[in-house]
Amino acid sequence: MEEEKTNKREVTNIELEFKDKEDIINLASKDEFVSLVMNDSLDAIIEGINGDLDTVDLFNILNISVMIKLEKSNFKPVLEKITQYYAGKEDYDKCIEIQSLIKQLKDA
């Protein structure tokens, strides 16, 4: 039986404080939170591609005991979403870097 390959980077721990659904919606619209999610997701996927990992751990939501993982089959669609984020920020160098990662996935 083949051992599953997983990432070794330190997973970002997040603690969500909310009273109601609206608090979560507000958090999801804050640029600093979105930036954290996009940057850390990209770092995890880069490690996943470079290490030929089957899954990567993205975030550990501490106060609800949830580990968010991403399977290799979902790297490309998530990278495409991250590209849209960076295009909106007009960070075209990052977009080029991500397109190179998508090409690596296609060529693998």
Side-chain angles (χ1 to χ4, degrees):
M1 187 167 157
E2 187 176 322
E3 185 177 326
E4 185 176 293
K5 301 176 197 174
T6 58
N7 58 319
K8 302 296 180 206
R9 82 180 222 303
E10 188 169 326
V11 177
T12 300
N13 293 313
I14 298 175
E15 187 166 349
L16 298 176
E17 293 183 21
F18 57 94
K19 294 179 186 127
D20 55 34
K21 180 179 166 182
E22 195 167 307
D23 287 346
I24 298 294
I25 293 169
N26 289 336
L27 177 64
S29 66
K30 290 190 180 209
D31 191 52
E32 63 189 49
F33 182 73
V34 174
S35 179
L36 170 83
V37 169
M38 295 298 175
N39 288 322
D40 283 12
S41 296
L42 179 58
D43 289 345
I45 293 170
I46 289 170
E47 181 180 347
I49 292 170
N50 291 339
D52 192 29
L53 305 178
D54 299 320
T55 63
V56 291
D57 296 333
L58 296 178
F59 304 100
N60 181 15
I61 312 297
L62 296 170
N63 57 320
I64 57 174
S65 300
V66 172
M67 179 68 74
I68 299 175
K69 297 178 177 270
L70 184 66
E71 293 182 2
K72 186 175 188 173
S73 62
N74 292 313
F75 287 1
K76 182 178 180 262
V78 172
L79 285 171
E80 290 168 347
K81 289 286 187 186
I82 296 171
T83 300
Q84 291 173 3
Y85 169 77
Y86 283 111
K89 296 287 183 191
E90 298 182 0
D91 187 342
Y92 301 115
D93 290 335
K94 194 63 94 169
C95 292
I96 291 167
E97 176 187 341
I98 296 167
Q99 290 304 310
S100 174
L101 293 169
I102 292 171
K103 184 177 179 341
Q104 275 183 261
L105 287 171
K106 288 179 183 175
D107 293 344

